[in-house]
Amino acid sequence: MTQTKWKKSIAITGAGSGFGAALAHHYAAQGFNVAVTDIDEERARRTCYEIQEMDGESFSMKLDITRPEDWTQLYAAVLERWGGLQMLVNNAGVAVAGNVEETSMEDWSWVLDIDLMGVVRGCHQFAGLMKRQKAGHFVNIASFAGLAGLPSIAAYGVAKAGVVALSEALRAEMLPYGVGVTVACPAFVKTGLLDSFRSSKPGTHAKVAHWMETSGISAEQVAEEIAMAVRKNKFLLLTHAETRKAWRIKR
C-alpha cells in the first residue's frame, strides 16, 4: 500500500454507537479509510454500512478490547489493507456507579479491565507502528470523572484517571517520533454507555439517563471537537463548558 493511503486511515473501537459511530461518520466524510470495530459485531456492521458510500474504504470487525488476540487481528487487518494507520481512537468503554465500599470487587475488575486496560492494549499494540511511521495520532476517550474524583462513581473515575495518566506518559514517549496524543474528557452525553451500565443503587440508571438527555451536547458535537483537537495536536480536551470551569477551579 502507498504511504498516501495510510495517511488517511483511522481505527475506532466501540464504533457501533455513541462517540465511536459519530467519529466514524465524521472521518468517513473527510475521505478517511475507517476500521469500524465493536464488541457487538452487528452494530459495527451497521455503522460500516452507513458510511460505505463515502470516499474512503471501510471495513467492520468484532473487537473485544479485553482480548489481546482481537487487537492482533485488527493490527494485521489495517496493515494488510492500508499499510499503516494514521489514527487510533480508543473509545470503547463501560460504566459502573457506586462508592469505594459499595462497588463489588467484580465490578472494579470489570471496569478497570475494559476502560483502562482496554486502552492500554490498544496503545501497546499500535505504539511501535506509529513510531516506525514517525507520524500518527492516538485519541483516548477518558471522562471528566477521571479528573474530578467524584465519590459516586469511584471505580469508573479511577479507570478514567488511569487513561489520563497513560495518555500523559504516551504523549511524552511519542513526541520524539512526531506522533500526537489527545485525551478527551467529556461529561454527560447521550451515548450507548447505559446499555451495559452497572450500579449498586436503585434509581441511578434513570438519573444518569436524565443527565445524558439534558446535557445539551450531542455525540456528533463531541466528535467535531475531538477532530479539531487532533488537527491542533491538543492534548487535553474538555468538551463541556461547565467542566472547563470546574477544572480551572480544581487546579
Side-chain angles (χ1 to χ4, degrees):
M1 294 294 178
T2 65
Q3 194 178 68
T4 301
K5 196 158 191 178
W6 70 253
K7 278 188 174 178
K8 296 198 73 173
S9 58
I10 183 171
I12 308 169
T13 69
S17 62
F19 299 142
L23 284 163
H25 280 266
H26 175 89
Y27 279 101
Q30 303 299 314
F32 273 64
N33 305 317
V34 184
V36 181
T37 79
D38 199 283
I39 194 170
D40 186 324
E41 192 170 9
E42 181 55 39
R43 291 198 307 193
R45 280 198 293 262
R46 184 173 64 243
T47 298
C48 190
Y49 175 79
E50 292 169 354
I51 65 175
Q52 278 180 341
E53 293 185 359
M54 306 294 186
D55 291 339
E57 298 175 356
S58 62
F59 72 91
S60 65
M61 65 177 288
K62 180 176 180 178
L63 174 64
D64 180 343
I65 62 173
T66 68
R67 289 168 50 89
E69 54 268 40
D70 285 14
W71 281 108
T72 301
Q73 290 173 10
L74 174 62
Y75 181 85
V78 299
L79 280 184
E80 179 182 357
R81 292 167 184 264
W82 305 325
L85 189 70
Q86 180 181 0
M87 289 178 59
L88 173 67
V89 180
N90 288 300
N91 165 70
V94 295
V96 59
N99 63 29
V100 173
E101 178 186 2
E102 293 168 346
T103 305
S104 69
M105 293 310 300
E106 178 187 359
D107 283 352
W108 272 96
S109 297
W110 177 68
V111 75
L112 287 168
D113 193 27
I114 296 171
D115 286 7
L116 175 54
M117 291 307 300
V119 180
V120 171
R121 293 181 188 99
C123 294
H124 175 79
Q125 182 70 65
F126 282 92
L129 174 64
M130 297 285 192
K131 285 182 178 180
R132 291 192 298 274
Q133 292 175 167
K134 296 189 183 300
H137 207 102
F138 288 92
V139 177
N140 296 331
I141 308 299
S143 167
F144 187 65
L147 301 173
L150 301 173
S152 57
I153 46 173
Y156 180 73
V158 167
K160 294 301 188 179
V163 173
V164 175
L166 166 68
S167 301
E168 289 176 338
L170 185 67
R171 182 194 189 197
E173 292 175 12
M174 293 291 118
L175 185 62
Y177 300 91
V179 177
V181 177
T182 294
V183 59
C185 295
F188 292 107
V189 178
K190 186 178 180 181
T191 65
L193 192 63
L194 287 178
D195 292 349
S196 56
F197 181 76
R198 297 182 182 181
S199 174
S200 58
K201 290 185 177 180
T204 304
H205 188 285
K207 287 180 182 179
V208 174
H210 174 72
W211 292 332
M212 285 182 166
E213 289 283 353
T214 58
S215 71
I217 296 180
S218 67
E220 289 72 23
Q221 287 173 301
V222 171
E224 292 281 349
E225 290 205 36
I226 290 171
M228 185 179 298
V230 171
R231 287 195 298 272
K232 294 180 177 180
N233 197 22
K234 181 177 182 178
F235 173 65
L236 178 63
L237 174 62
L238 297 172
T239 60
H240 293 52
E242 63 270 24
T243 61
R244 290 191 289 270
K245 180 179 179 181
W247 179 234
R248 286 195 298 270
I249 291 171
K250 180 174 180 177
R251 291 181 69 190

